Amino acid sequence: MVLILALALIGGLFLLPKGIVKPKEGKGELTKDAARTANRDGGGPATNGSKADASSGPVSAEVGPATSPAGPTAAAPHTTATPAQRQELNSLLKQLAAAGTPAKQAAAATLLARRYENVQRFDSAGYYYEQVAAAQPGPQALQQAADAYFQAFSFASSDARIKLLGGKARELYTKVLAQSPNNLDAKTNLGMAYMASDNPVQGVTLLREVLAADPNNEKALYDLGILAVQSNQFDKAVERFQQLVKVNPRNVNGQFYLGVTSARTGAKEQARTAFLAAKSLSNDPALAASVEEELAKLK
């Protein structure tokens, strides 16, 4: 079984772990690890909603090169839109085009964004949430757009997509924080988005600022723990995950990675206890298999 990291670079989504971070993996691999489900956001060189077929947006709502009535294809392996969903999306696009007031534009764009989320086209969802924010400005609408782009970024499978979507997430989270500087959720995700940029130090700085404001912030503790693993600083990673499970003993990811990092530092009993705790908290068979494999290594 090939072990991989279940971090979706999404500090806040807390996906169940599907494996471990290999110390040899670099930043590029880390940014793509969240799901080994290539192109969950659909791929493509641009992220401009309905503006182009190259977008990983409306293609999913149409019978075209990226999909078919029978379901997903190699070009969009995790995107499924039923004929009824495609019909609804096309109808909503027409409603948006015909909307004559900001309120109607925001309502139509919101529905489009939600429907694109349903078919896992997160960058298109972000595009339409941006339109909501333009029609009805405010930090909440901006964060919806930022969160959608961040999710698309988390599942991107190419360096170009990671750069593009990470940039959009950073742009929007920066705007959110300009209006709501105490929004720690936005600051945490912004920090993780910076890790795939040319300025990863800024990402670490932001995550530490979150912990300075809230020492028990689960997302920041988890993300800093994962980053410590990626840089082979297992002692530091253990400290982060110990604090995380102290704050929330039912945090599955925290328990799992406490086991991983404890094993790396030679604390076998602590590792065994953490692995068993993680297994007891989830019915995920992939997690159970990973735990059993890690426990076997401790013998």
Side-chain angles (χ1 to χ4, degrees), residues 80-139:
T80 59
T82 66
Q85 287 173 322
R86 289 194 294 272
Q87 184 176 7
E88 182 183 23
L89 285 163
N90 289 334
S91 176
L92 289 171
L93 285 166
K94 292 178 182 177
Q95 288 181 32
L96 178 60
T101 67
K104 289 182 179 179
Q105 290 169 0
T110 298
L111 283 175
L112 269 167
R114 290 174 179 169
R115 297 304 182 265
Y116 275 117
E117 286 177 323
N118 289 345
V119 293
Q120 298 182 341
R121 301 297 275 233
F122 301 114
D123 61 341
S124 288
Y127 174 81
Y128 289 110
Y129 279 133
E130 272 194 279
Q131 294 198 15
V132 176
Q136 296 181 338

Side-chain angles (χ1 to χ4, degrees), residues 160-178:
R161 295 288 293 165
I162 289 167
K163 181 177 180 180
L164 178 68
L165 295 167
K168 285 297 299 182
R170 291 192 298 274
E171 172 194 338
L172 291 167
Y173 281 128
T174 298
K175 291 180 179 180
V176 171
L177 289 169

